[in-house]
């Protein structure tokens, strides 16, 4: 991890997908845009926990001072993380943002640290949903999407510039 941090131009991406009965999924990544590699080096998954517990876990892992890109569908949860001292920011979402994010990430090699066992399980099982006739749709299957959504929020924010309109 330290050797990767020293790569010139490397960008960090820390992100969180909220859940409760589904898991909350926190991912820590580094993006090497020159060599088109994304390194996933840490994770945390938890179910049935409050936003205070999520904030405490992020701090325990040493990422309390980092910008955390969170699922924008939960502004109340983002506000509660901020109240706990986490630099939480909303992700970008919009028309086709999931598919655009997936397409962007597919251009990269993904290297996963061995300690990221849940993320490895998810990415190995990530697939498209099927319609009533068993044909793939253009939406990812929900079962193995939590870490993948978190990953997409952070990596997309690290790779794409902020967009402003006047």
């Amino acid at each position: 991890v330290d050797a990767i941090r020293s790569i010139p131009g490397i960008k960090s991406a820390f992100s969180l997908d909220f859940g409760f009965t589904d898991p909350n999924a926190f991912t820590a990544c580094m993006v090497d845009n020159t060599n088109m590699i994304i390194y996933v080096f840490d994770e945390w998954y938890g179910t049935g926990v409050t936003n205070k517990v999520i904030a405490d876990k992020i701090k325990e892992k040493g990422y309390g001072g980092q910008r955390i890109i969170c699922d924008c569908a939960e502004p109340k949860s983002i506000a509660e993380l901020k109240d706990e001292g986490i630099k939480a920011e909303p992700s970008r979402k919009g028309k086709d943002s999931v598919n655009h994010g997936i397409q962007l990430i597919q251009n990269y090699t993904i290297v996963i640290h061995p300690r990221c066992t849940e993320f490895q399980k998810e990415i190995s099982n990530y697939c498209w949903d099927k319609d009533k006739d068993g044909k793939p749709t253009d939406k990812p299957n929900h079962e193995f999407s939590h870490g993948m959504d978190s990953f997409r929020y952070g990596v997309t924010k690290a790779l794409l510039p902020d967009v402003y309109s006047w």
Side-chain angles (χ1 to χ4, degrees), residues 18-126:
F18 293 108
F20 192 77
T21 52
D22 283 339
N24 295 282
F26 171 82
T27 56
C29 307
M30 286 183 275
V31 180
D32 179 351
N33 210 24
T34 302
N35 296 302
M36 305 294 285
I37 302 172
I38 302 169
Y39 300 92
V40 181
F41 66 92
D42 210 353
E43 68 176 15
W44 174 79
Y45 286 69
T47 55
V49 297
T50 64
N51 291 324
K52 180 176 181 354
V53 171
I54 294 169
D56 290 344
K57 292 293 182 183
I58 290 170
K59 290 174 191 174
E60 282 173 25
K61 292 187 100 17
Y63 307 117
Q66 302 298 322
R67 176 176 83 156
I68 312 293
I69 308 303
C70 304
D71 182 354
C72 68
E74 296 218 20
K76 180 180 172 189
S77 293
I78 292 170
E80 289 176 0
L81 289 179
K82 286 180 178 180
D83 289 346
E84 294 296 326
I86 299 296
K87 296 177 184 177
E89 292 182 18
S91 63
R92 271 189 275 220
K93 281 191 184 174
K95 186 174 177 4
D96 296 326
S97 64
V98 173
N99 288 347
H100 288 140
I102 291 169
Q103 288 172 351
L104 177 68
I105 290 167
Q106 284 176 329
N107 292 315
Y108 289 77
T109 299
I110 301 169
V111 178
I112 304 166
H113 194 285
R115 73 174 155 228
C116 299
T117 56
E118 287 300 313
F119 187 85
Q120 180 67 52
K121 181 173 89 178
E122 282 202 9
I123 200 168
S124 297
N125 289 286
Y126 196 60

Side-chain angles (χ1 to χ4, degrees), residues 131-163:
D131 66 15
K132 60 182 169 87
D133 298 320
K135 295 182 182 173
T137 67
D138 64 347
K139 292 184 179 183
N141 180 281
H142 181 72
E143 186 175 353
F144 296 102
S145 67
H146 313 294
M148 299 303 296
D149 287 345
S150 171
F151 173 69
R152 183 173 38 80
Y153 302 148
V155 169
T156 302
K157 189 82 168 187
L159 291 175
L160 298 176
D162 286 328
V163 178

